[in-house]
Structures are given as structure tokens and as C-alpha cells.
Amino acid sequence: MLALTILGINVPDSRPLFIAALAVHVPAGIVSVLSGAMAALARKRPRRHPMAGRVYLVGIALVCASATVLAPMRWQHDWPLFVLDLLAFALAGTGLLVRLRQRPGWLARHGMAMAGSYVTLLTGFYVDNGPQLPLWDRLPHLTYWLLPVTVGVPLTLRALFHNRAWQGGARWPLAGRSTSTTTRPLR
């Protein structure tokens, strides 16, 4: 089990299965981070937001699947990361299920679950890679665990209030209808 360095990042295991799983895990994580940010920043209406959300779901599923291969190979060191991956995947799945069912209050639950998944994904990234990142390597280890939550929770609450998720939220407008012709949320 020799370690190697790829693009200045220390890879703790050089076994072919580990490298193959990592070759899926890293791009899936990058896709998840980018698509999650796109979904979070997009207006909550058809097209961009749900498309980015679907890409995020596929990415987080691949992150979790590859973590299922990676974690047992270095279980003593990687079990907390595996738990974070499972949690991120479970929260994303919960967010999707809540969105599909659309029961009363679904918008707030969907937003909290998806944001929780994204924050958990970032936490896993920083816990695993923070010590190797410029400037991050100078922070105490506890910062890798707490900073994503410290930033993510206020941003999530702000977005939920902005989108009126607590009051049931506004539904996406029907295609082709002017918002000036209707004053009630569409059901």
C-alpha cells in the first residue's frame, strides 16, 4: 500500500482498485459541487434549477457508490468520510422524494434536505483535503468540520425565506402564463 502524488495531492493508496474508484469519485465530486452550486443559485423554476438538481443527484450517487469501494480499503482513516457520503446521499434522496410528493410544507423540507446534502458533501471534501489545500492547511482541523455548516445554515435560511418556503412558497408559473394575470400560487 504505497502512497503516490497526483497533481501535488497525496493519494494514500496506489492499488489499482483504489485508483479506479478514485477516478470516479473525484470527477463525480467536482460535478456535484458545480451542479449543486448551480441549482442553489438558479431561479427556482423549470429548466435550470431542476436540471442542475438532477445532475447533482447523479453526481452524489456516484460519489457515494465510489466511496463504498474506497472506504473499506482504508476503513480506519476513511470511515467518517464514508458516513458523510452516505448522509449526503440520503439527504439528497430525501430532497428528491419530498419534491416528488409535494405534500404541504414540501418546499422548506426540500430546500433543507438538498442544502444539507450539499453542506455535508463540502464538509467531507474539506475534512479529507483541507490539510493539503493552500491556506486551508493552516487552519485547525475542527474548522474543516464546522466551516461548511457555519456558512451553509445561514445561507440556507436566507434562501428559504427569500423563496417563501415557510409560507408554502410560490409554485413555478405555468409556461406561457404571465405572472401579472394571476395573483394566487398555482397548484
Side-chain angles (χ1 to χ4, degrees):
M1 217 170 43
L2 298 173
L4 61 121
T5 302
I6 299 175
L7 299 174
I9 305 250
N10 293 325
V11 178
D13 197 322
S14 62
R15 289 180 281 185
L17 181 60
F18 189 90
I19 299 299
L22 197 62
V24 172
H25 192 74
V26 171
I30 292 168
V31 166
S32 296
V33 168
L34 295 176
S35 60
M38 185 180 294
L41 297 173
R43 295 188 75 183
K44 308 309 181 245
R45 57 181 55 192
R47 295 196 190 184
R48 186 170 291 149
H49 176 76
M51 179 60 77
R54 283 190 286 275
V55 171
Y56 178 78
L57 286 167
V58 170
I60 201 73
L62 289 172
V63 165
C64 190
S66 58
T68 302
V69 174
L70 292 167
M73 299 177 89
R74 294 179 24 88
W75 187 254
Q76 186 175 3
H77 299 297
D78 289 349
W79 73 265
L81 300 172
F82 182 63
V83 171
L84 288 173
D85 287 336
L86 287 176
L87 180 60
F89 179 67
L91 285 167
T94 300
L96 173 64
L97 188 63
V98 165
R99 167 67 180 97
L100 293 175
R101 289 187 177 169
Q102 289 194 12
R103 297 213 170 111
W106 74 270
L107 191 56
R109 289 192 308 277
H110 170 75
M112 288 186 289
M114 297 308 285
S117 173
Y118 192 73
V119 165
T120 304
L121 174 73
L122 291 177
T123 301
F125 172 79
Y126 289 125
V127 167
D128 191 31
N129 298 298
Q132 298 183 63
L133 298 173
L135 299 179
W136 283 87
D137 60 352
R138 297 178 182 169
L139 297 173
H141 185 74
L142 189 60
T143 306
Y144 308 141
W145 287 94
L146 298 179
L147 191 59
V149 172
T150 304
V151 172
V153 168
L155 289 176
T156 300
L157 293 174
R158 182 177 180 268
L160 291 172
F161 280 110
H162 176 76
N163 288 299
R164 296 176 295 162
W166 305 118
Q167 293 89 26
R171 303 284 180 148
W172 290 334
L174 295 175
R177 284 200 56 177
S178 168
T179 56
S180 63
T181 61
T182 182
T183 57
R184 62 179 173 74
L186 299 173
R187 302 225 183 254

mmCIF file of all heavy atoms in Angstrom, residues 82-129:
data_model
loop_
_atom_site.group_PDB
_atom_site.id
_atom_site.type_symbol
_atom_site.label_atom_id
_atom_site.label_comp_id
_atom_site.label_asym_id
_atom_site.label_seq_id
_atom_site.Cartn_x
_atom_site.Cartn_y
_atom_site.Cartn_z
ATOM 1 N N PHE A 82 -16.942 8.157 4.811
ATOM 2 C CA PHE A 82 -17.980 7.282 4.286
ATOM 3 C C PHE A 82 -19.334 7.636 4.905
ATOM 4 O O PHE A 82 -20.355 7.706 4.201
ATOM 5 C CB PHE A 82 -17.624 5.816 4.558
ATOM 6 C CG PHE A 82 -18.610 4.845 4.004
ATOM 7 C CD1 PHE A 82 -18.824 4.757 2.638
ATOM 8 C CD2 PHE A 82 -19.326 4.020 4.844
ATOM 9 C CE1 PHE A 82 -19.746 3.857 2.115
ATOM 10 C CE2 PHE A 82 -20.239 3.110 4.337
ATOM 11 C CZ PHE A 82 -20.454 3.036 2.970
ATOM 12 N N VAL A 83 -19.347 7.894 6.191
ATOM 13 C CA VAL A 83 -20.590 8.292 6.860
ATOM 14 C C VAL A 83 -21.105 9.611 6.274
ATOM 15 O O VAL A 83 -22.310 9.767 6.018
ATOM 16 C CB VAL A 83 -20.387 8.389 8.390
ATOM 17 C CG1 VAL A 83 -21.586 9.017 9.075
ATOM 18 C CG2 VAL A 83 -20.098 7.012 8.975
ATOM 19 N N LEU A 84 -20.206 10.553 6.021
ATOM 20 C CA LEU A 84 -20.615 11.819 5.407
ATOM 21 C C LEU A 84 -21.179 11.600 4.007
ATOM 22 O O LEU A 84 -22.178 12.225 3.626
ATOM 23 C CB LEU A 84 -19.437 12.797 5.361
ATOM 24 C CG LEU A 84 -19.002 13.395 6.696
ATOM 25 C CD1 LEU A 84 -17.720 14.208 6.537
ATOM 26 C CD2 LEU A 84 -20.111 14.244 7.300
ATOM 27 N N ASP A 85 -20.545 10.726 3.229
ATOM 28 C CA ASP A 85 -21.051 10.425 1.879
ATOM 29 C C ASP A 85 -22.444 9.805 1.935
ATOM 30 O O ASP A 85 -23.326 10.169 1.153
ATOM 31 C CB ASP A 85 -20.093 9.492 1.130
ATOM 32 C CG ASP A 85 -18.826 10.199 0.683
ATOM 33 O OD1 ASP A 85 -18.855 11.433 0.523
ATOM 34 O OD2 ASP A 85 -17.809 9.516 0.494
ATOM 35 N N LEU A 86 -22.639 8.861 2.841
ATOM 36 C CA LEU A 86 -23.963 8.248 2.992
ATOM 37 C C LEU A 86 -25.003 9.284 3.406
ATOM 38 O O LEU A 86 -26.132 9.286 2.897
ATOM 39 C CB LEU A 86 -23.917 7.124 4.024
ATOM 40 C CG LEU A 86 -23.220 5.834 3.624
ATOM 41 C CD1 LEU A 86 -23.194 4.864 4.801
ATOM 42 C CD2 LEU A 86 -23.902 5.192 2.422
ATOM 43 N N LEU A 87 -24.636 10.150 4.330
ATOM 44 C CA LEU A 87 -25.554 11.189 4.789
ATOM 45 C C LEU A 87 -25.905 12.154 3.656
ATOM 46 O O LEU A 87 -27.076 12.520 3.476
ATOM 47 C CB LEU A 87 -24.955 11.936 5.982
ATOM 48 C CG LEU A 87 -25.808 13.056 6.571
ATOM 49 C CD1 LEU A 87 -27.156 12.523 7.061
ATOM 50 C CD2 LEU A 87 -25.047 13.738 7.707
ATOM 51 N N ALA A 88 -24.900 12.569 2.886
ATOM 52 C CA ALA A 88 -25.150 13.473 1.754
ATOM 53 C C ALA A 88 -26.097 12.831 0.743
ATOM 54 O O ALA A 88 -27.025 13.474 0.240
ATOM 55 C CB ALA A 88 -23.834 13.864 1.081
ATOM 56 N N PHE A 89 -25.883 11.551 0.459
ATOM 57 C CA PHE A 89 -26.739 10.832 -0.486
ATOM 58 C C PHE A 89 -28.153 10.682 0.075
ATOM 59 O O PHE A 89 -29.146 10.901 -0.630
ATOM 60 C CB PHE A 89 -26.133 9.468 -0.808
ATOM 61 C CG PHE A 89 -26.949 8.656 -1.757
ATOM 62 C CD1 PHE A 89 -27.098 9.057 -3.080
ATOM 63 C CD2 PHE A 89 -27.565 7.491 -1.346
ATOM 64 C CE1 PHE A 89 -27.861 8.305 -3.971
ATOM 65 C CE2 PHE A 89 -28.320 6.728 -2.224
ATOM 66 C CZ PHE A 89 -28.474 7.145 -3.546
ATOM 67 N N ALA A 90 -28.272 10.340 1.349
ATOM 68 C CA ALA A 90 -29.590 10.174 1.974
ATOM 69 C C ALA A 90 -30.362 11.494 1.993
ATOM 70 O O ALA A 90 -31.574 11.519 1.718
ATOM 71 C CB ALA A 90 -29.437 9.626 3.391
ATOM 72 N N LEU A 91 -29.690 12.583 2.289
ATOM 73 C CA LEU A 91 -30.352 13.889 2.291
ATOM 74 C C LEU A 91 -30.794 14.291 0.890
ATOM 75 O O LEU A 91 -31.896 14.819 0.707
ATOM 76 C CB LEU A 91 -29.432 14.954 2.890
ATOM 77 C CG LEU A 91 -29.270 14.906 4.406
ATOM 78 C CD1 LEU A 91 -28.112 15.786 4.858
ATOM 79 C CD2 LEU A 91 -30.570 15.321 5.093
ATOM 80 N N ALA A 92 -29.954 14.027 -0.120
ATOM 81 C CA ALA A 92 -30.340 14.339 -1.497
ATOM 82 C C ALA A 92 -31.536 13.495 -1.928
ATOM 83 O O ALA A 92 -32.471 14.002 -2.567
ATOM 84 C CB ALA A 92 -29.153 14.111 -2.445
ATOM 85 N N GLY A 93 -31.532 12.225 -1.572
ATOM 86 C CA GLY A 93 -32.667 11.359 -1.886
ATOM 87 C C GLY A 93 -33.930 11.823 -1.178
ATOM 88 O O GLY A 93 -35.025 11.804 -1.770
ATOM 89 N N THR A 94 -33.806 12.263 0.055
ATOM 90 C CA THR A 94 -34.949 12.798 0.798
ATOM 91 C C THR A 94 -35.472 14.055 0.121
ATOM 92 O O THR A 94 -36.692 14.232 -0.030
ATOM 93 C CB THR A 94 -34.553 13.099 2.254
ATOM 94 O OG1 THR A 94 -34.115 11.891 2.867
ATOM 95 C CG2 THR A 94 -35.695 13.715 3.036
ATOM 96 N N GLY A 95 -34.564 14.918 -0.305
ATOM 97 C CA GLY A 95 -34.974 16.138 -1.013
ATOM 98 C C GLY A 95 -35.736 15.831 -2.282
ATOM 99 O O GLY A 95 -36.740 16.476 -2.599
ATOM 100 N N LEU A 96 -35.282 14.824 -3.018
ATOM 101 C CA LEU A 96 -35.984 14.429 -4.243
ATOM 102 C C LEU A 96 -37.365 13.866 -3.909
ATOM 103 O O LEU A 96 -38.365 14.233 -4.532
ATOM 104 C CB LEU A 96 -35.166 13.390 -5.010
ATOM 105 C CG LEU A 96 -35.868 12.768 -6.220
ATOM 106 C CD1 LEU A 96 -36.154 13.813 -7.285
ATOM 107 C CD2 LEU A 96 -35.030 11.622 -6.782
ATOM 108 N N LEU A 97 -37.428 12.992 -2.933
ATOM 109 C CA LEU A 97 -38.700 12.376 -2.558
ATOM 110 C C LEU A 97 -39.713 13.424 -2.103
ATOM 111 O O LEU A 97 -40.885 13.394 -2.505
ATOM 112 C CB LEU A 97 -38.458 11.343 -1.455
ATOM 113 C CG LEU A 97 -39.638 10.475 -1.070
ATOM 114 C CD1 LEU A 97 -40.080 9.621 -2.252
ATOM 115 C CD2 LEU A 97 -39.245 9.575 0.093
ATOM 116 N N VAL A 98 -39.262 14.371 -1.303
ATOM 117 C CA VAL A 98 -40.136 15.448 -0.835
ATOM 118 C C VAL A 98 -40.635 16.264 -2.027
ATOM 119 O O VAL A 98 -41.815 16.627 -2.102
ATOM 120 C CB VAL A 98 -39.383 16.340 0.185
ATOM 121 C CG1 VAL A 98 -40.094 17.649 0.422
ATOM 122 C CG2 VAL A 98 -39.180 15.591 1.483
ATOM 123 N N ARG A 99 -39.759 16.523 -2.968
ATOM 124 C CA ARG A 99 -40.131 17.297 -4.169
ATOM 125 C C ARG A 99 -41.152 16.543 -5.008
ATOM 126 O O ARG A 99 -42.109 17.119 -5.525
ATOM 127 C CB ARG A 99 -38.877 17.595 -4.993
ATOM 128 C CG ARG A 99 -39.115 18.105 -6.407
ATOM 129 C CD ARG A 99 -39.759 19.479 -6.393
ATOM 130 N NE ARG A 99 -39.977 19.973 -7.721
ATOM 131 C CZ ARG A 99 -41.141 19.875 -8.379
ATOM 132 N NH1 ARG A 99 -42.160 19.260 -7.844
ATOM 133 N NH2 ARG A 99 -41.268 20.391 -9.581
ATOM 134 N N LEU A 100 -40.982 15.251 -5.157
ATOM 135 C CA LEU A 100 -41.901 14.464 -5.970
ATOM 136 C C LEU A 100 -43.278 14.344 -5.328
ATOM 137 O O LEU A 100 -44.293 14.360 -6.022
ATOM 138 C CB LEU A 100 -41.318 13.071 -6.242
ATOM 139 C CG LEU A 100 -40.071 13.037 -7.122
ATOM 140 C CD1 LEU A 100 -39.523 11.619 -7.213
ATOM 141 C CD2 LEU A 100 -40.351 13.607 -8.509
ATOM 142 N N ARG A 101 -43.330 14.229 -4.014
ATOM 143 C CA ARG A 101 -44.616 14.062 -3.316
ATOM 144 C C ARG A 101 -45.371 15.381 -3.152
ATOM 145 O O ARG A 101 -46.587 15.391 -3.135
ATOM 146 C CB ARG A 101 -44.397 13.416 -1.958
ATOM 147 C CG ARG A 101 -44.015 11.971 -2.085
ATOM 148 C CD ARG A 101 -43.968 11.327 -0.744
ATOM 149 N NE ARG A 101 -43.657 9.918 -0.872
ATOM 150 C CZ ARG A 101 -43.343 9.144 0.123
ATOM 151 N NH1 ARG A 101 -43.287 9.634 1.346
ATOM 152 N NH2 ARG A 101 -43.071 7.880 -0.060
ATOM 153 N N GLN A 102 -44.653 16.468 -2.964
ATOM 154 C CA GLN A 102 -45.212 17.811 -2.806
ATOM 155 C C GLN A 102 -46.348 17.884 -1.789
ATOM 156 O O GLN A 102 -47.406 18.444 -2.055
ATOM 157 C CB GLN A 102 -45.670 18.363 -4.159
ATOM 158 C CG GLN A 102 -44.527 18.697 -5.050
ATOM 159 C CD GLN A 102 -44.945 19.542 -6.227
ATOM 160 O OE1 GLN A 102 -46.038 20.074 -6.283
ATOM 161 N NE2 GLN A 102 -44.056 19.671 -7.186
ATOM 162 N N ARG A 103 -46.128 17.357 -0.631
ATOM 163 C CA ARG A 103 -47.107 17.480 0.453
ATOM 164 C C ARG A 103 -46.967 18.865 1.076
ATOM 165 O O ARG A 103 -45.962 19.545 0.860
ATOM 166 C CB ARG A 103 -46.864 16.382 1.476
ATOM 167 C CG ARG A 103 -47.074 15.017 0.843
ATOM 168 C CD ARG A 103 -47.627 14.011 1.814
ATOM 169 N NE ARG A 103 -48.032 12.810 1.133
ATOM 170 C CZ ARG A 103 -47.429 11.635 1.247
ATOM 171 N NH1 ARG A 103 -46.394 11.510 2.039
ATOM 172 N NH2 ARG A 103 -47.875 10.595 0.593
ATOM 173 N N PRO A 104 -47.951 19.301 1.850
ATOM 174 C CA PRO A 104 -47.854 20.648 2.453
ATOM 175 C C PRO A 104 -46.516 20.850 3.165
ATOM 176 O O PRO A 104 -46.055 19.994 3.908
ATOM 177 C CB PRO A 104 -49.027 20.669 3.446
ATOM 178 C CG PRO A 104 -50.027 19.723 2.857
ATOM 179 C CD PRO A 104 -49.198 18.627 2.207
ATOM 180 N N GLY A 105 -45.908 22.010 2.916
ATOM 181 C CA GLY A 105 -44.619 22.336 3.502
ATOM 182 C C GLY A 105 -43.437 21.722 2.781
ATOM 183 O O GLY A 105 -42.306 21.789 3.256
ATOM 184 N N TRP A 106 -43.664 21.145 1.607
ATOM 185 C CA TRP A 106 -42.604 20.431 0.896
ATOM 186 C C TRP A 106 -41.438 21.333 0.520
ATOM 187 O O TRP A 106 -40.290 20.898 0.538
ATOM 188 C CB TRP A 106 -43.149 19.733 -0.355
ATOM 189 C CG TRP A 106 -43.464 20.659 -1.490
ATOM 190 C CD1 TRP A 106 -44.645 21.287 -1.742
ATOM 191 C CD2 TRP A 106 -42.574 21.081 -2.530
ATOM 192 N NE1 TRP A 106 -44.547 22.057 -2.857
ATOM 193 C CE2 TRP A 106 -43.282 21.952 -3.361
ATOM 194 C CE3 TRP A 106 -41.239 20.799 -2.826
ATOM 195 C CZ2 TRP A 106 -42.721 22.555 -4.484
ATOM 196 C CZ3 TRP A 106 -40.668 21.395 -3.944
ATOM 197 C CH2 TRP A 106 -41.408 22.264 -4.756
ATOM 198 N N LEU A 107 -41.719 22.580 0.173
ATOM 199 C CA LEU A 107 -40.651 23.450 -0.325
ATOM 200 C C LEU A 107 -39.557 23.668 0.722
ATOM 201 O O LEU A 107 -38.370 23.573 0.417
ATOM 202 C CB LEU A 107 -41.240 24.783 -0.778
ATOM 203 C CG LEU A 107 -40.322 25.708 -1.560
ATOM 204 C CD1 LEU A 107 -39.765 25.010 -2.792
ATOM 205 C CD2 LEU A 107 -41.068 26.971 -1.955
ATOM 206 N N ALA A 108 -39.954 23.908 1.959
ATOM 207 C CA ALA A 108 -38.962 24.104 3.031
ATOM 208 C C ALA A 108 -38.185 22.813 3.280
ATOM 209 O O ALA A 108 -36.956 22.838 3.426
ATOM 210 C CB ALA A 108 -39.651 24.558 4.312
ATOM 211 N N ARG A 109 -38.878 21.680 3.326
ATOM 212 C CA ARG A 109 -38.193 20.399 3.559
ATOM 213 C C ARG A 109 -37.252 20.051 2.404
ATOM 214 O O ARG A 109 -36.155 19.544 2.616
ATOM 215 C CB ARG A 109 -39.215 19.289 3.803
ATOM 216 C CG ARG A 109 -39.909 19.431 5.146
ATOM 217 C CD ARG A 109 -40.705 18.194 5.548
ATOM 218 N NE ARG A 109 -41.646 17.730 4.544
ATOM 219 C CZ ARG A 109 -42.876 18.219 4.366
ATOM 220 N NH1 ARG A 109 -43.307 19.200 5.121
ATOM 221 N NH2 ARG A 109 -43.669 17.715 3.443
ATOM 222 N N HIS A 110 -37.684 20.309 1.181
ATOM 223 C CA HIS A 110 -36.832 20.057 0.015
ATOM 224 C C HIS A 110 -35.566 20.918 0.091
ATOM 225 O O HIS A 110 -34.455 20.410 -0.075
ATOM 226 C CB HIS A 110 -37.609 20.363 -1.272
ATOM 227 C CG HIS A 110 -36.769 20.373 -2.506
ATOM 228 N ND1 HIS A 110 -36.304 19.218 -3.093
ATOM 229 C CD2 HIS A 110 -36.306 21.404 -3.266
ATOM 230 C CE1 HIS A 110 -35.585 19.538 -4.170
ATOM 231 N NE2 HIS A 110 -35.568 20.850 -4.289
ATOM 232 N N GLY A 111 -35.752 22.198 0.361
ATOM 233 C CA GLY A 111 -34.607 23.098 0.442
ATOM 234 C C GLY A 111 -33.637 22.723 1.545
ATOM 235 O O GLY A 111 -32.420 22.727 1.346
ATOM 236 N N MET A 112 -34.179 22.367 2.712
ATOM 237 C CA MET A 112 -33.307 21.981 3.825
ATOM 238 C C MET A 112 -32.559 20.684 3.524
ATOM 239 O O MET A 112 -31.369 20.565 3.825
ATOM 240 C CB MET A 112 -34.112 21.852 5.115
ATOM 241 C CG MET A 112 -34.553 23.194 5.669
ATOM 242 S SD MET A 112 -35.356 23.081 7.278
ATOM 243 C CE MET A 112 -36.906 22.321 6.841
ATOM 244 N N ALA A 113 -33.241 19.714 2.925
ATOM 245 C CA ALA A 113 -32.584 18.432 2.632
ATOM 246 C C ALA A 113 -31.489 18.601 1.583
ATOM 247 O O ALA A 113 -30.379 18.077 1.750
ATOM 248 C CB ALA A 113 -33.614 17.401 2.164
ATOM 249 N N MET A 114 -31.786 19.329 0.529
ATOM 250 C CA MET A 114 -30.787 19.495 -0.532
ATOM 251 C C MET A 114 -29.607 20.342 -0.047
ATOM 252 O O MET A 114 -28.452 20.022 -0.336
ATOM 253 C CB MET A 114 -31.427 20.111 -1.783
ATOM 254 C CG MET A 114 -32.493 19.232 -2.414
ATOM 255 S SD MET A 114 -31.981 17.534 -2.758
ATOM 256 C CE MET A 114 -30.962 17.766 -4.195
ATOM 257 N N ALA A 115 -29.891 21.396 0.694
ATOM 258 C CA ALA A 115 -28.801 22.215 1.241
ATOM 259 C C ALA A 115 -27.979 21.406 2.238
ATOM 260 O O ALA A 115 -26.741 21.494 2.260
ATOM 261 C CB ALA A 115 -29.367 23.474 1.902
ATOM 262 N N GLY A 116 -28.655 20.598 3.055
ATOM 263 C CA GLY A 116 -27.935 19.737 3.992
ATOM 264 C C GLY A 116 -27.031 18.748 3.274
ATOM 265 O O GLY A 116 -25.903 18.489 3.707
ATOM 266 N N SER A 117 -27.508 18.212 2.166
ATOM 267 C CA SER A 117 -26.694 17.301 1.370
ATOM 268 C C SER A 117 -25.445 18.010 0.833
ATOM 269 O O SER A 117 -24.333 17.481 0.904
ATOM 270 C CB SER A 117 -27.522 16.748 0.200
ATOM 271 O OG SER A 117 -26.720 15.983 -0.670
ATOM 272 N N TYR A 118 -25.645 19.211 0.320
ATOM 273 C CA TYR A 118 -24.530 19.974 -0.262
ATOM 274 C C TYR A 118 -23.504 20.348 0.810
ATOM 275 O O TYR A 118 -22.300 20.202 0.606
ATOM 276 C CB TYR A 118 -25.082 21.224 -0.951
ATOM 277 C CG TYR A 118 -24.084 21.935 -1.814
ATOM 278 C CD1 TYR A 118 -23.676 21.403 -3.034
ATOM 279 C CD2 TYR A 118 -23.543 23.152 -1.431
ATOM 280 C CE1 TYR A 118 -22.759 22.062 -3.830
ATOM 281 C CE2 TYR A 118 -22.632 23.817 -2.221
ATOM 282 C CZ TYR A 118 -22.241 23.269 -3.425
ATOM 283 O OH TYR A 118 -21.333 23.922 -4.218
ATOM 284 N N VAL A 119 -23.982 20.804 1.963
ATOM 285 C CA VAL A 119 -23.078 21.168 3.065
ATOM 286 C C VAL A 119 -22.312 19.932 3.535
ATOM 287 O O VAL A 119 -21.109 19.997 3.815
ATOM 288 C CB VAL A 119 -23.864 21.827 4.217
ATOM 289 C CG1 VAL A 119 -23.044 21.890 5.488
ATOM 290 C CG2 VAL A 119 -24.329 23.220 3.808
ATOM 291 N N THR A 120 -22.985 18.796 3.595
ATOM 292 C CA THR A 120 -22.325 17.556 4.007
ATOM 293 C C THR A 120 -21.266 17.141 2.998
ATOM 294 O O THR A 120 -20.172 16.705 3.368
ATOM 295 C CB THR A 120 -23.371 16.438 4.191
ATOM 296 O OG1 THR A 120 -24.344 16.890 5.139
ATOM 297 C CG2 THR A 120 -22.737 15.162 4.699
ATOM 298 N N LEU A 121 -21.575 17.286 1.711
ATOM 299 C CA LEU A 121 -20.592 16.997 0.648
ATOM 300 C C LEU A 121 -19.348 17.876 0.815
ATOM 301 O O LEU A 121 -18.215 17.384 0.768
ATOM 302 C CB LEU A 121 -21.229 17.219 -0.722
ATOM 303 C CG LEU A 121 -20.310 17.092 -1.928
ATOM 304 C CD1 LEU A 121 -19.954 15.629 -2.178
ATOM 305 C CD2 LEU A 121 -20.965 17.686 -3.165
ATOM 306 N N LEU A 122 -19.561 19.170 1.023
ATOM 307 C CA LEU A 122 -18.420 20.082 1.194
ATOM 308 C C LEU A 122 -17.636 19.773 2.468
ATOM 309 O O LEU A 122 -16.406 19.866 2.475
ATOM 310 C CB LEU A 122 -18.901 21.531 1.209
ATOM 311 C CG LEU A 122 -19.432 22.071 -0.115
ATOM 312 C CD1 LEU A 122 -19.937 23.490 0.058
ATOM 313 C CD2 LEU A 122 -18.368 22.009 -1.199
ATOM 314 N N THR A 123 -18.337 19.398 3.521
ATOM 315 C CA THR A 123 -17.652 19.028 4.763
ATOM 316 C C THR A 123 -16.714 17.847 4.514
ATOM 317 O O THR A 123 -15.557 17.866 4.942
ATOM 318 C CB THR A 123 -18.671 18.683 5.867
ATOM 319 O OG1 THR A 123 -19.509 19.825 6.091
ATOM 320 C CG2 THR A 123 -17.975 18.288 7.161
ATOM 321 N N GLY A 124 -17.213 16.820 3.830
ATOM 322 C CA GLY A 124 -16.371 15.666 3.503
ATOM 323 C C GLY A 124 -15.153 16.062 2.696
ATOM 324 O O GLY A 124 -14.041 15.589 2.950
ATOM 325 N N PHE A 125 -15.354 16.943 1.727
ATOM 326 C CA PHE A 125 -14.227 17.404 0.909
ATOM 327 C C PHE A 125 -13.178 18.099 1.767
ATOM 328 O O PHE A 125 -11.987 17.809 1.665
ATOM 329 C CB PHE A 125 -14.704 18.346 -0.204
ATOM 330 C CG PHE A 125 -13.574 18.991 -0.934
ATOM 331 C CD1 PHE A 125 -12.873 18.289 -1.907
ATOM 332 C CD2 PHE A 125 -13.172 20.281 -0.633
ATOM 333 C CE1 PHE A 125 -11.803 18.872 -2.571
ATOM 334 C CE2 PHE A 125 -12.105 20.874 -1.293
ATOM 335 C CZ PHE A 125 -11.417 20.169 -2.269
ATOM 336 N N TYR A 126 -13.626 19.025 2.619
ATOM 337 C CA TYR A 126 -12.663 19.778 3.427
ATOM 338 C C TYR A 126 -11.992 18.918 4.482
ATOM 339 O O TYR A 126 -10.798 19.075 4.743
ATOM 340 C CB TYR A 126 -13.322 21.004 4.065
ATOM 341 C CG TYR A 126 -13.641 22.066 3.045
ATOM 342 C CD1 TYR A 126 -14.919 22.570 2.911
ATOM 343 C CD2 TYR A 126 -12.660 22.546 2.186
ATOM 344 C CE1 TYR A 126 -15.211 23.527 1.960
ATOM 345 C CE2 TYR A 126 -12.941 23.499 1.231
ATOM 346 C CZ TYR A 126 -14.221 23.983 1.126
ATOM 347 O OH TYR A 126 -14.498 24.925 0.179
ATOM 348 N N VAL A 127 -12.720 17.999 5.093
ATOM 349 C CA VAL A 127 -12.113 17.110 6.090
ATOM 350 C C VAL A 127 -11.023 16.270 5.426
ATOM 351 O O VAL A 127 -9.941 16.069 5.990
ATOM 352 C CB VAL A 127 -13.180 16.217 6.753
ATOM 353 C CG1 VAL A 127 -12.555 15.083 7.532
ATOM 354 C CG2 VAL A 127 -14.074 17.057 7.661
ATOM 355 N N ASP A 128 -11.285 15.782 4.213
ATOM 356 C CA ASP A 128 -10.326 14.924 3.521
ATOM 357 C C ASP A 128 -9.173 15.708 2.906
ATOM 358 O O ASP A 128 -8.028 15.275 2.960
ATOM 359 C CB ASP A 128 -11.049 14.132 2.427
ATOM 360 C CG ASP A 128 -10.190 13.021 1.850
ATOM 361 O OD1 ASP A 128 -9.342 12.463 2.580
ATOM 362 O OD2 ASP A 128 -10.366 12.694 0.663
ATOM 363 N N ASN A 129 -9.457 16.869 2.323
ATOM 364 C CA ASN A 129 -8.447 17.583 1.537
ATOM 365 C C ASN A 129 -7.940 18.875 2.158
ATOM 366 O O ASN A 129 -6.950 19.421 1.688
ATOM 367 C CB ASN A 129 -9.012 17.886 0.139
ATOM 368 C CG ASN A 129 -9.338 16.624 -0.601
ATOM 369 O OD1 ASN A 129 -8.472 15.818 -0.874
ATOM 370 N ND2 ASN A 129 -10.614 16.435 -0.905
#
